[in-house]
Amino acid sequence: MEKTTFRDVKQTVLTRIRDKTWAPDTFIPNEVALAAEFGCSRSTVNRAMRELAEEGILDRKRKAGTRVNATPVRNAKFVIPLVRDEVEATGAAYRYALVSREVLPAPPWLRARLSLGDKSRVLHLNCLHFANNAPFQFEDRWINIATVPMVEQADFSARGPNEWLLSQVPFTDVELSFSANTADAQLADFLALSPGEPVFTAERTTWLNDNPVTFARLSFGRGYRMTTRY
Amino acid sequence: MEKTTFRDVKQTVLTRIRDKTWAPDTFIPNEVALAAEFGCSRSTVNRAMRELAEEGILDRKRKAGTRVNATPVRNAKFVIPLVRDEVEATGAAYRYALVSREVLPAPPWLRARLSLGDKSRVLHLNCLHFANNAPFQFEDRWINIATVPMVEQADFSARGPNEWLLSQVPFTDVELSFSANTADAQLADFLALSPGEPVFTAERTTWLNDNPVTFARLSFGRGYRMTTRY
DNA sequence: CAGTGGTCTAGACCACACA
DNA sequence: GTGTGGTCTAGACCACTGC
């Protein structure tokens, strides 16, 4: 006689939802009842149900109980890797190049975006990441010098700012946003595209406890896809 | 004297990682030691560490121990809502329209994508989703009739196939993929764009235990962004 | 107020992976 | 073999929230 694991419970619950034993928008038995039925402890049921709720399958409320979510608003998890890892995972050789580097007063649009004061200074970097010597990603990066003073002494000629930041600067919050755009003349040059070709854009902003750390716009050329399975 | 919660433990661990008390790539004390230090039970430590590992902050291996991940390959979670909810969340009025509907033999590219036999029949739908009467999303949907026979009798004139599928057909696996494209003439017409304008594309394929259920290509026009925070 | 889920505990046994 | 995390248990108290 095997013990009932929380995975068993999850599987059984999922099956019952799929075969409509437990219809959408209806309440299912409470934890104590399920523990009795499955012959396991309440903690085991709890873990199973908690995970299903995190996955968006169930909706749980104290006192009210556990309901089958009518429209499984499921969460897709995307792994956001380092460019280096992303390139090397395809078997291609990774190469990095620094295009430009300058310290300047934060431009108004960036001040607005990061809630910076009007005397803020930022480090602005343009970088290129190659896969087998073909341009893979163009990185337009802005780093808030007030939050990361030592960035002025950092050397970005051999290693990208993202890797440097990840290893040197802690952060607490991230906002990530994907969109589709077309290449302007400069971007087309850098990514070896024709102007007007579609570009996949990822914008990432990070903070360290309310202090803005960095804003980056990452542009990917032809054929880039971001994929996940669940 | 408050009890130490698993949230407290997570917070403390995160702080120690951020201030380099526990450097990247080094091992941290085992669960028993941490439980003793924090004055809580091992289960509490375990839950905290398990969640941090799920979030990509820690790397755990039996016998080896728990290591601080050098490059926090953090997971971004995206909520994938129904179009209706996505539109209504902005305060706009949602409207749906069926553009076309036909049953036909699965075209070769779809057979390849879904591993269908060469006699497979599919239902092909084109739909439009509006926000305040402006086109918001164009949906190009293919449904495998062998897996979902009753789809032939379904009425898609008032409700989109996605809502119908979610409420009627269970699924076990999903593949989701984002990319950037430009509008061709047809898409430009439907989304009220000029040909060549950028389009954000989401492709979703779902299965029910190895049986392909549906493939959908969702196209979003101007200004669409997919955003998350963590 | 009372029923539900949320969490903690102390202990136990087990599976895995490294030596 | 042996130390680590992975999981289950039985019980307890608590927090939220709907009645």
Side-chain angles (χ1 to χ4, degrees):
Chain A
M1 172 62 184
E2 286 285 316
K3 261 188 191 156
T4 306
T5 71
F6 74 95
R7 281 168 224 278
D8 298 334
V9 176
K10 281 179 81 169
Q11 203 45 61
T12 306
V13 170
L14 276 176
T15 304
R16 290 196 187 170
I17 292 174
R18 293 205 179 106
D19 70 14
K20 301 263 191 296
T21 303
W22 290 335
D25 261 333
T26 61
F27 284 89
I28 73 179
N30 70 29
E31 295 189 348
V32 177
L34 289 176
E37 187 201 332
F38 295 138
C40 64
S41 73
R42 201 194 129 205
S43 331
T44 302
V45 174
N46 180 274
R47 174 154 181 199
M49 310 297 269
R50 176 160 35 89
E51 293 194 358
L52 288 170
E54 267 169 25
E55 290 163 25
I57 311 282
L58 297 176
D59 223 22
R60 317 193 79 196
K61 268 183 200 158
R62 282 158 148 144
K63 166 74 180 173
T66 300
R67 211 168 33 78
V68 178
N69 202 325
T71 55
V73 176
R74 293 179 65 165
N75 303 318
K77 260 192 187 171
F78 285 86
V79 177
I80 313 294
L82 286 178
V83 208
R84 177 194 296 279
D85 296 337
E86 201 170 0
V87 168
E88 288 177 347
T90 69
Y94 171 75
R95 187 166 69 80
Y96 159 80
L98 177 61
V99 174
S100 69
R101 176 193 189 285
E102 56 178 339
V103 174
L104 71 176
W109 64 268
L110 188 66
R111 293 212 312 267
R113 195 183 268 266
L114 300 183
S115 309
L116 297 175
D118 58 4
K119 286 180 187 151
S120 295
R121 292 167 62 245
V122 293
L123 177 64
H124 179 212
L125 301 163
N126 281 335
C127 317
L128 267 172
H129 304 268
F130 297 84
N132 281 342
N133 276 327
F136 177 79
Q137 179 198 99
F138 178 73
E139 174 176 1
D140 183 17
R141 173 156 316 254
W142 305 75
I143 302 171
N144 182 18
I145 293 178
T147 309
V148 197
M150 60 184 169
V151 78
E152 286 201 81
Q153 274 73 53
D155 175 18
F156 294 114
S157 58
R159 198 164 61 133
N162 195 26
E163 290 183 35
W164 184 87
L165 283 166
L166 274 175
S167 66
Q168 300 293 321
V169 187
F171 58 90
T172 53
D173 297 276
V174 182
E175 183 177 295
L176 186 57
S177 157
F178 298 135
S179 59
N181 295 282
T182 47
D184 61 17
Q186 187 207 29
L187 202 50
D189 274 351
F190 281 130
L191 289 177
L193 305 173
S194 310
E197 277 200 74
V199 169
F200 188 88
T201 304
E203 292 181 344
R204 180 159 48 197
T205 312
T206 71
W207 291 264
L208 174 59
N209 307 318
D210 298 328
N211 301 309
V213 174
T214 181
F215 167 75
R217 177 180 287 118
L218 312 172
S219 304
F220 300 83
R222 211 168 358 237
Y224 183 75
R225 303 179 79 80
M226 175 148 280
T227 302
T228 190
R229 239 185 133 102
Y230 57 89
Chain B
M1 174 61 186
E2 287 285 317
K3 262 185 190 159
T4 306
T5 71
F6 75 94
R7 282 168 221 279
D8 298 334
V9 176
K10 280 180 82 170
Q11 203 44 63
T12 306
V13 171
L14 277 175
T15 304
R16 290 196 187 170
I17 291 174
R18 293 205 179 106
D19 71 13
K20 301 265 191 296
T21 304
W22 289 336
D25 262 333
T26 61
F27 285 87
I28 74 179
N30 70 28
E31 294 190 349
V32 177
L34 289 177
E37 186 200 331
F38 295 138
C40 65
S41 73
R42 201 194 128 204
S43 330
T44 302
V45 173
N46 179 274
R47 175 153 180 199
M49 309 298 269
R50 176 160 35 88
E51 293 194 358
L52 288 170
E54 267 170 24
E55 291 162 26
I57 311 282
L58 298 176
D59 224 23
R60 317 193 78 197
K61 270 182 200 158
R62 282 158 148 144
K63 166 73 181 171
T66 300
R67 211 168 32 78
V68 178
N69 202 323
T71 56
V73 176
R74 294 179 64 166
N75 303 318
K77 258 192 186 172
F78 286 86
V79 177
I80 312 294
L82 285 179
V83 208
R84 177 193 296 278
D85 296 337
E86 201 170 0
V87 168
E88 288 176 347
T90 69
Y94 171 75
R95 188 167 69 79
Y96 160 80
L98 178 61
V99 173
S100 69
R101 177 193 187 285
E102 55 177 339
V103 173
L104 69 176
W109 64 268
L110 188 65
R111 292 213 312 268
R113 195 183 269 266
L114 300 183
S115 309
L116 297 175
D118 57 5
K119 285 181 187 150
S120 295
R121 292 165 64 246
V122 292
L123 176 65
H124 179 210
L125 301 163
N126 281 337
C127 316
L128 266 173
H129 305 267
F130 296 86
N132 281 341
N133 276 327
F136 176 78
Q137 180 197 98
F138 178 74
E139 174 176 0
D140 184 18
R141 171 151 325 247
W142 304 76
I143 302 171
N144 183 17
I145 293 179
T147 309
V148 197
M150 59 184 169
V151 78
E152 285 201 82
Q153 274 73 51
D155 174 18
F156 293 115
S157 58
R159 198 163 61 133
N162 195 25
E163 290 182 34
W164 184 87
L165 284 166
L166 273 175
S167 67
Q168 300 293 321
V169 187
F171 58 89
T172 53
D173 297 276
V174 181
E175 184 177 295
L176 186 58
S177 155
F178 299 134
S179 59
N181 295 281
T182 46
D184 60 17
Q186 188 206 29
L187 203 50
D189 275 351
F190 281 130
L191 290 177
L193 305 173
S194 310
E197 276 200 76
V199 169
F200 188 89
T201 304
E203 293 181 345
R204 180 160 46 201
T205 312
T206 71
W207 291 263
L208 174 60
N209 307 318
D210 298 328
N211 301 309
V213 174
T214 181
F215 167 75
R217 177 180 287 118
L218 312 172
S219 304
F220 300 82
R222 217 178 342 249
Y224 183 76
R225 302 179 81 80
M226 175 147 280
T227 302
T228 190
R229 237 186 133 103
Y230 57 89

